[in-house]
Amino acid sequence: NVEFGGQSPTAMFNIPITAPSATISGDLTVNGTLTKQTIAFDCYNNTDSPGFTTETYNVPLDVIRYNSGHFSLANNIITCNTAMLAQIIMRVTNDIVSGYSRSTILSKVLINNNIVPGTNIFNYSRQFDSGVGTASCTFIVQLNVNDKIIGNMQRYSGTDTIKGLAHGCGLTIL
């Protein structure tokens, strides 16, 4: 139980505390301010991806907007530096570089090169110069130290050449 106030009236709350490297027993007294550490990461792409047809490309991520210090980004791959239960949001914006065949793009999230079930997202692109589409997915997952998070995208149907648009792809971890 955690007590707030110290004098009448007080507020009592039963709050589970996880402390994998410490044991807490008995009463806990906190003098001062108790704050929750914010763990968050947000990145996006500053440049277009190369045009692709049948290949699988990494979702381009090259600019860190915010990092609480618990993640790193290199070569479109995010590395988790602390174990945590995380909400991950990925968005992908694609366009057609060339073609008029009404292509569909499949994107998904992988952790340690394993596809995260339920993260398939699809974009439909009608034709060159009018095929921009954005799709996103959100999920909750347990991350471990050194987990590698990456987004992949590929042309799923059609024959157009596709690209990921600058400032349209991103990944957020909360």
Side-chain angles (χ1 to χ4, degrees):
N1 289 331
V2 177
E3 180 178 328
F4 293 93
Q7 300 175 17
S8 289
T10 61
M12 295 290 289
F13 299 93
N14 186 358
I15 301 172
I17 298 175
T18 303
S21 62
T23 302
I24 300 172
S25 61
D27 293 336
L28 176 64
T29 303
V30 177
N31 293 318
T33 303
L34 187 61
T35 59
K36 179 185 179 298
Q37 180 182 17
T38 300
I39 299 177
F41 181 82
D42 185 54
C43 62
Y44 64 96
N45 64 319
N46 195 40
T47 57
D48 289 347
S49 75
F52 59 92
T53 54
T54 57
E55 308 88 355
T56 298
Y57 271 90
N58 294 338
V59 172
L61 302 170
D62 55 10
V63 177
I64 297 172
R65 186 185 341 251
Y66 179 82
N67 187 356
S68 61
H70 300 89
F71 303 90
S72 58
L73 173 66
N75 301 316
N76 305 313
I77 300 171
I78 300 164
T79 301
C80 180
N81 299 321
T82 189
M84 65 180 286
L85 182 64
Q87 178 184 29
I88 298 179
I89 304 131
M90 181 180 75
R91 77 176 185 290
V92 180
T93 302
N94 299 108
D95 195 8
I96 293 178
V97 176
S98 64
Y100 294 89
S101 73
R102 301 179 184 205
S103 293
T104 305
I105 302 93
L106 165 63
S107 302
K108 54 195 156 208
V109 178
L110 292 85
I111 298 177
N112 299 325
N113 292 318
N114 297 307
I115 297 169
V116 178
T119 63
N120 287 1
I121 54 177
F122 295 87
N123 289 347
Y124 169 77
S125 293
R126 182 175 171 89
Q127 65 188 37
F128 174 69
D129 277 342
S130 64
V132 176
T134 300
S136 65
C137 67
T138 302
F139 61 99
I140 295 174
V141 66
Q142 177 64 48
L143 293 176
N144 298 304
V145 174
N146 294 321
D147 276 355
K148 309 284 187 214
I149 305 149
I150 191 165
N152 279 349
M153 57 185 176
Q154 68 188 72
R155 188 184 66 207
Y156 185 73
S157 67
T159 58
D160 298 317
T161 301
I162 310 294
K163 68 178 175 180
L165 284 180
H167 303 279
C169 301
L171 199 138
T172 301
I173 303 172
L174 302 171

